Amino acid sequence: MHSDALQRYVRATGADHSDVQAEMADHADEHGFPIIGPDAGAVLRLLARLTDAERVFEFGSGFGYSASWFLAGGADEVVLTEIDADELEMARDFLDREGTADRAQFEHGDALDAVADYDGPFDVVLIDHDKARYAKGFDLAREKVPEGGVVVADNMTKGPVDIEVLADYFAEGEPLPDDVGDPMAGIVEYVEHVRADPAFESFILPVGSGLCMSTRIAPRED
Ligand SMILES: C[S@@+](CC[C@H](N)C(=O)[O-])C[C@H]1O[C@@H](n2cnc3c(N)ncnc32)[C@H](O)[C@@H]1O
């Protein structure tokens, strides 16, 4: 969302934070930590409700803000993965105070390793870790997502991306600049990767920092 008026309108009419979520958002502001924010959060909450989510898996949970939205949407279980032990400890504390920690699993370490420890099914997956390894995360999770399940990836329009370069590349066929950088190259790779996957329908939802939404439309192979 790139019009200021549009953004203010959506925010003014959007989801409200709980008291603990408001504290989390303040903490993110104070420390410059990139959370998905309340508008994208409301999308996660909606997905948990629409899929009647039994299990959600997150790649890169930070201190639990995005997980708090899945839990607010009634997810029976959210698996949080985080490489930074301090962030994960904070997540435990925030979700404990929110009264939802009993529905959360806290996995410290590389999300790309942790995902192998869970059989699925994952009704919803959030990809929000190292941008250069988004496509790898998708590949590790895709067979654990049932038909009708959704993979969401953040930072398609904001964060380590230049929206003008992305538009020129995808809409006009312009080459990517040589100095595009690993995070943005990872986002481009991700979008191309999921759009080419015939088992998923994908599109970019320009809410928050831009969410790539991929719904599984084919049965799992196992
Ligand atoms: C954008 S933040 C996540 C924000 C969170 N999803 C939210 O909206 O509340 C990205 C997080 O991913 C973590 N991270 C990066 N690479 C990771 C990896 N390979 N495995 C697990 N966590 C990782 C970082 O430490 C950071 O806390």
Side-chain angles (χ1 to χ4, degrees):
M1 232 159 267
H2 302 288
S3 140
D4 183 51
L6 181 57
Q7 206 157 10
R8 285 189 295 119
Y9 173 44
V10 168
R11 182 75 300 274
T13 56
D16 292 326
H17 279 141
S18 68
D19 289 347
V20 174
Q21 285 177 323
E23 264 188 65
M24 293 167 122
D26 287 346
H27 175 84
D29 277 351
E30 279 163 28
H31 295 85
F33 188 90
I35 55 171
I36 52 161
D39 298 322
V43 173
L44 304 187
R45 184 179 64 179
L46 173 74
L47 288 174
R49 290 210 194 284
L50 289 180
T51 61
D52 199 11
E54 289 181 14
R55 178 176 279 165
V56 172
F57 189 93
E58 288 194 334
F59 290 78
S61 297
F63 54 79
Y65 179 84
S66 48
S68 76
W69 286 98
F70 284 124
L71 291 161
D76 291 333
E77 182 185 47
V78 178
V79 182
L80 292 84
T81 67
E82 179 49 58
I83 210 148
D84 181 326
D86 294 338
E87 296 295 337
L88 198 64
E89 208 37 55
M90 250 186 288
R92 201 186 290 273
D93 181 52
F94 276 128
L95 297 183
D96 195 36
R97 291 203 283 119
E98 184 86 319
T100 52
D102 58 327
R103 290 185 280 130
Q105 300 286 338
F106 299 91
E107 295 283 353
H108 174 228
D110 191 331
L112 297 162
D113 294 332
V115 69
D117 295 336
Y118 288 84
D119 289 336
F122 304 141
D123 303 290
V124 189
V125 173
L126 174 67
I127 299 185
D128 194 14
H129 63 306
D130 175 9
K131 313 304 163 208
R133 297 200 294 161
Y134 268 28
K136 179 83 178 154
F138 178 85
D139 282 345
L140 292 171
R142 70 182 290 290
E143 270 315 308
K144 299 181 181 191
V145 177
E147 199 172 351
V150 183
V151 181
V152 184
D154 195 29
N155 295 109
M156 296 298 128
T157 62
K158 288 186 197 163
V161 296
D162 180 332
I163 191 74
E164 295 294 336
V165 170
L166 288 175
D168 287 346
Y169 177 76
F170 282 105
E172 315 301 338
E174 301 274 339
L176 289 174
D178 291 340
D179 60 352
V180 69
D182 287 347
M184 185 156 151
I187 296 291
V188 169
E189 177 194 24
Y190 183 82
V191 172
E192 291 180 331
H193 190 63
V194 298
R195 290 188 75 240
D197 190 328
F200 286 81
E201 285 176 342
S202 297
F203 71 101
I204 291 171
L205 185 64
V207 171
S209 297
L211 303 173
C212 185
M213 313 286 291
S214 301
T215 311
R216 185 156 189 128
I217 55 165
R220 294 195 289 161
E221 279 153 27
D222 54 357

